Amino acid sequence: MVRLLIFSLILFSFETSARQSDPRAEVLSIRFHQHPEFFRVVLEIEKVREFYSASLKDPERLFVDIFQAKLKPGLHGTSAEIKSPQVKALRLAQKNPSTVRLTLELIPGPGHKEKIYYLTNPTRLVIDVYPETGARSPASPPVTPSSSSMAARENQQKGETAGKPPEPASTGYSLVRQLGLGVKRIVIDPGHGGQDPGCISPSGLKEKDVALDLARRLKAMLEKEGNFEVFLTRETDITLPLEKRTAFANEKKADLFISIHLNASPRKNRTGVETFYLNFSPDPAVNELAARENASSSKNIHELKSIVDKIIKNTKYEESRDLAEKVHKHLMQNLKQNFGPREDLGVKGGPFWVLIGTEMPAILVEASHLSNPKEEAALKTEPYRQTIATGIIRGIIEYVKSLGKG
Ligand SMILES: [Zn+2]
């Protein structure tokens, strides 16, 4: 049904740390051209953050979703009929406020392969569509007179970015959803613990303690809520490696995995909630956070190849993203209702070890900032903690209901 391709990328670019009022990167232009062996689309974009692509049938088409992006006004409603052996038509649209979607209608029949990668100076996303038989392996990227320099640069980045398109995963959605099965078991993971305090607020409040308290609240409330069986990866203040947390969730055959954390930033005025699912991110701020959260793993963040493989094998990508969006939405709503307006840092992909290898939809919530005096003060109070827990639970319930059960 859905052919999944998850392309992960690390873009070694410098970003300003200043948060702009509109964080979306603008898609500036689109070009397309039929090369002798393939059809190429080039999207020039201010910044490539994260993208996702999949093939669909009836009619046969390929789409690429570019997250945290917006179309330049003149590009809205771009569409074109294409005379190509691979591609029939092309459309570019603002799918929702934060996602730009490129759709390529494909010539049905012979099958196709695609390669998607990005280049810099200027930053652009390149989508090449080959006939199935004509596709070259990533080891020999397309080289035409007009694209040789592009290919050379692509080779340099290939290790992290333009990996071999993975074999089609059977579906974007797990059996749970396909069969309309409900969510029964939930594993909540209070971040850090024992010798690893996580981040510590100026007055000495430790992330590990707040995370454990939030996890206990979540367990108690979820068990009251209905037919959930809830397990915590740690019930007390013990040191627990990240890999053991993931293994625990798999052993329990959990239907959902939720890791609870609190954030810290060198910018004291940074506030708000961020919710993550597993993916690479070219955003240095996300990678910095992930590096911190990954610190208690014996593995090295630079083991890129193995991470990429695991991410690509992780067919729970769409569900994790969906769960992250629902949890984030309700958490933000509940905090706003009870504690006033606040910054929405959004739902993002991030390379968190604790999410790698989970066999169920898995997310990591950075529920507030211990480094911000206001949020730190709030985090010391029962009502604020309860508001966080309630928001997360509302998101879980909405997700469970969207499965058709629960
Ligand atoms: Zn943490």
Side-chain angles (χ1 to χ4, degrees), residues 217-383:
R217 285 171 200 271
L218 285 168
K219 178 173 157 67
M221 288 160 78
L222 277 167
E223 284 174 345
K224 247 193 225 165
E225 193 65 45
N227 292 323
F228 297 119
E229 256 184 284
V230 185
F231 300 94
L232 304 189
T233 53
R234 64 178 181 95
E235 305 262 0
T236 54
D237 185 19
I238 52 160
T239 307
L240 191 62
L242 296 175
E243 295 82 355
K244 286 206 172 159
R245 299 168 191 250
T246 314
F248 176 83
N250 290 343
E251 274 160 30
K252 290 284 178 206
K253 301 204 182 307
D255 301 307
L256 300 179
F257 178 81
I258 296 168
S259 191
I260 303 293
H261 291 255
L262 287 309
N263 216 332
S265 167
R267 283 199 296 130
K268 294 268 170 284
N269 59 353
R270 190 177 197 259
T271 60
V273 174
E274 280 175 298
T275 308
F276 293 92
Y277 53 91
L278 180 65
N279 202 353
F280 271 125
S281 170
D283 182 346
V286 168
N287 288 313
E288 224 171 85
L289 174 65
R292 247 191 351 253
E293 299 295 15
N294 290 339
S296 74
S297 169
S298 54
K299 290 179 182 154
N300 187 315
I301 188 69
H302 295 296
E303 291 173 34
L304 289 175
K305 172 101 179 63
S306 106
I307 305 176
V308 170
D309 288 348
K310 282 176 178 165
I311 289 175
I312 286 170
K313 281 180 197 139
N314 176 8
T315 57
K316 305 300 182 297
Y317 176 87
E318 288 201 7
E319 292 188 36
S320 297
R321 193 177 153 82
D322 192 18
L323 174 64
E325 274 171 358
K326 289 182 165 69
V327 165
H328 186 82
K329 180 182 82 180
H330 284 281
L331 181 47
M332 282 302 300
Q333 267 174 14
N334 212 31
L335 282 170
K336 273 184 196 164
Q337 268 167 20
N338 291 286
F339 295 92
R342 60 204 48 242
E343 200 173 348
D344 184 348
L345 301 175
V347 174
K348 301 165 184 175
F352 294 92
W353 275 115
V354 75
L355 302 180
I356 293 176
T358 50
E359 290 164 4
M360 69 291 308
I363 63 171
L364 183 147
V365 182
E366 296 277 353
S368 283
H369 283 68
L370 275 169
S371 50
N372 176 265
K374 254 189 168 170
E375 290 195 350
E376 183 209 3
L379 278 167
K380 288 179 179 168
T381 69
E382 161 108 24

